């Protein structure tokens, strides 16, 4: 998979969870991405943001691990950057 494919896969999973289709994070990476996505869309899509944060919180509660700081999630390259994540996820949710 190239970078664009990976980005699309992340956005698709976020959109699924945000709309209630996918209810949990599969691993720590997804849980951290969901947490960050919930943060960045919270002011414009509060219901979807709450679902993303819930999926993240549920994963961390069950795993006993702690979420990474947002800067680390971006540094790992798991999201394309905060403004891009917000804009692309909001656009995807508008069409969902």
């Amino acid at each position: 998979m190239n970078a664009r494919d990976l980005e699309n896969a992340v956005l698709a999973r976020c959109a699924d969870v945000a709309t209630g289709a996918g209810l949990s994070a599969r691993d720590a990476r997804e849980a951290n991405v969901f947490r960050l996505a919930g943060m960045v869309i919270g002011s414009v899509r509060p219901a979807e943001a709450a679902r993303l944060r819930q999926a993240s919180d549920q994963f961390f509660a069950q795993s006993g691990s702690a979420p990474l700081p947002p800067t680390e999630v971006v540094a790992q390259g798991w999201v394309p950057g905060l403004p891009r994540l917000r804009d692309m996820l909001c656009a995807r949710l508008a069409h969902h």
Side-chain angles (χ1 to χ4, degrees):
M1 288 179 103
N2 65 32
R4 185 71 54 162
D5 293 335
L6 291 172
E7 180 181 65
N8 281 328
V10 166
L11 290 168
R13 278 291 292 152
C14 285
D16 285 347
V17 169
T19 59
L23 301 175
S24 63
R26 295 183 280 208
D27 55 30
R29 179 179 178 164
E30 271 194 359
N32 280 293
V33 169
F34 293 165
R35 180 174 176 261
L36 185 55
M39 288 179 190
V40 300
I41 68 165
S43 64
V44 291
R45 309 280 308 207
E48 291 91 343
R51 287 185 200 104
L52 286 161
R53 287 190 304 267
Q54 182 180 22
S56 176
D57 291 346
Q58 182 180 22
F59 175 86
F60 289 117
Q62 290 175 351
S63 72
S65 60
L68 296 174
T71 53
E72 184 65 24
V73 177
V74 175
Q76 290 289 333
W78 296 341
V79 296
L82 301 185
R84 184 169 172 86
L85 174 62
R86 181 195 62 232
D87 295 347
M88 295 193 69
L89 183 54
C90 284
R92 196 173 279 241
L93 292 171
H95 291 91
H96 218 272

